[in-house]
Amino acid sequence: MQWCPPFPLDLAAVLGPLSRGRGSLNFRAHRGVWWLAANTPGGPGTLALLRRADGVVEAEAWGDGAEFLLDGVPALLGADDDDTGFVAHHDVVASARHDSPGLRLSSTGRVWDALLLAVLEQKVTGKEAIRSWAQLCRWFGTPAPGPGPDFLRVPPDPIAVRSIVDWNWHRIGVDLKRREALVAAARVAPRLEEAARIGGREGRALLRTVRGVGVWTAAEVAQRAWGDPDAVSFGDYNIPSMVGHNLLGHRIDDEQMAELLAPYAPHRQRVVRYLETAGSRAPRFGPRIELRDYRAM
């Protein structure tokens, strides 16, 4: 399949939120190709994306989920994103937007894989979460269909997650609250997929009917599953500081960030993405978070 985006496209910026670097066994750029291994309504599938010098994106897919993944390529690369009505109320936002004409919000159309990772990232450091994510995909996922890199794995589906015994959750460093949230989500996974179709606040509310899925987790899923432009990750350790530093010059908390971003609704998350893509970060003066190892507890 070949697809020529009718808009400027920064492939790395658009797909970046879906990857977690070298610990991301289901989604990573490798030798110039973006590889995605995913659960789909048709079954597991693998998608490969290559951006040619002329701007055309070449896509190829394998496995039972191949058709779904190929059909979803335009949305994955931001074709469904609509910034109509967006107004930059701060010079730094206007500058970031000007400097990132190829930034669009990606939509995978799939809830489960994003929810699985988001729950793992609750209340722990990024290193802890990615270590658990890699082990979960390696031990309980399945090899990706097709000729992809050896590391590529399809994340475990809801049935596989429900079959993981407590000892194995302990081995991969997932505490009781997160494992209970994952198992609860796995029990109603087909219904949760409706959130991507509903979208917006209602879609996030559906995700939050699962015990252990709160505002932060629902927002993280919404950002990836349906490219929600207003789903801010309230409760995040770093985002309020980053937003406050760039828009006000000092740190702020969640309540202050909500007030600051209110004029941008329904594009509040778009502002966060512009600031992140511009490389804007708050100075780090706070204490380092201790890296825990639940396997040793």
Side-chain angles (χ1 to χ4, degrees):
M1 168 187 172
Q2 295 184 352
W3 183 67
C4 183
F7 45 76
L9 175 63
D10 184 336
L11 202 61
V14 172
L15 297 178
L18 303 178
S19 180
R20 295 297 186 275
R22 294 188 62 82
S24 190
L25 303 188
N26 68 311
F27 189 72
R28 193 195 305 175
H30 181 70
R31 297 180 180 177
V33 177
W34 285 89
W35 291 92
L36 169 65
N39 291 290
T40 80
T46 301
L47 177 70
L49 298 172
L50 173 66
R51 181 79 180 276
R52 297 191 329 210
D54 62 3
V56 172
V57 176
E58 293 186 356
E60 192 169 358
W62 300 265
D64 294 337
E67 183 177 359
F68 179 90
L69 292 173
L70 287 175
D71 289 345
V73 166
L76 182 68
L77 300 184
D80 291 348
D81 187 26
D82 183 5
D83 66 354
T84 299
F86 180 84
V87 176
H89 298 284
H90 298 83
D91 289 344
V92 66
V93 175
S95 177
R97 190 184 191 202
H98 178 270
D99 293 341
S100 304
L103 174 63
R104 303 181 73 86
L105 302 183
S106 173
S107 173
T108 67
R110 305 179 313 280
V111 165
W112 173 252
D113 291 357
L115 179 58
L116 188 57
L117 177 56
V119 172
L120 289 180
E121 292 180 320
Q122 292 177 352
K123 306 297 184 182
V124 297
T125 66
K127 287 184 178 180
E128 290 175 274
I130 295 309
R131 180 180 61 198
S132 295
W133 176 240
Q135 291 173 333
L136 189 68
C137 291
R138 186 178 296 114
W139 295 350
F140 302 103
T142 56
D150 291 341
F151 65 79
L152 200 63
R153 305 283 292 183
V154 178
D157 63 19
I159 294 175
V161 165
R162 291 180 64 183
S163 71
I164 300 174
V165 298
D166 286 349
W167 169 244
N168 281 325
W169 284 119
H170 189 72
R171 289 177 65 203
I172 61 178
V174 179
D175 59 276
L176 181 60
K177 287 187 177 180
R178 288 183 294 158
R179 76 181 71 161
E180 287 180 340
L182 288 173
V183 172
R187 292 193 179 110
V188 293
R191 181 167 67 89
L192 296 182
E193 293 296 335
E194 283 294 302
R197 181 185 62 81
I198 298 170
R201 181 177 298 178
E202 292 78 11
R204 301 196 299 273
L206 174 55
L207 296 178
R208 292 184 61 194
T209 61
V210 176
R211 184 175 181 180
V213 174
V215 172
W216 183 89
T217 304
E220 289 287 306
V221 175
Q223 293 162 20
R224 293 158 178 81
W226 63 87
D228 193 324
D230 203 45
V232 179
S233 300
F234 290 107
D236 193 270
Y237 182 79
N238 295 305
I239 290 176
S241 295
M242 183 273 290
V243 172
H245 171 72
N246 285 281
L247 299 188
L248 298 176
H250 58 78
R251 298 172 65 91
I252 59 175
D253 58 22
D254 265 357
E255 184 176 351
Q256 293 168 315
M257 181 172 70
E259 182 178 355
L260 184 60
L261 294 180
Y264 286 100
H267 295 280
R268 295 176 298 170
Q269 172 59 19
R270 193 182 304 279
V271 174
V272 176
R273 286 291 296 126
Y274 277 133
L275 296 177
E276 289 176 335
T277 303
S280 302
R281 294 291 185 271
R284 297 189 177 185
F285 300 121
R288 297 178 65 89
I289 300 177
E290 181 182 359
L291 186 64
R292 293 160 291 183
D293 189 347
Y294 287 103
R295 297 169 300 178
M297 295 180 181

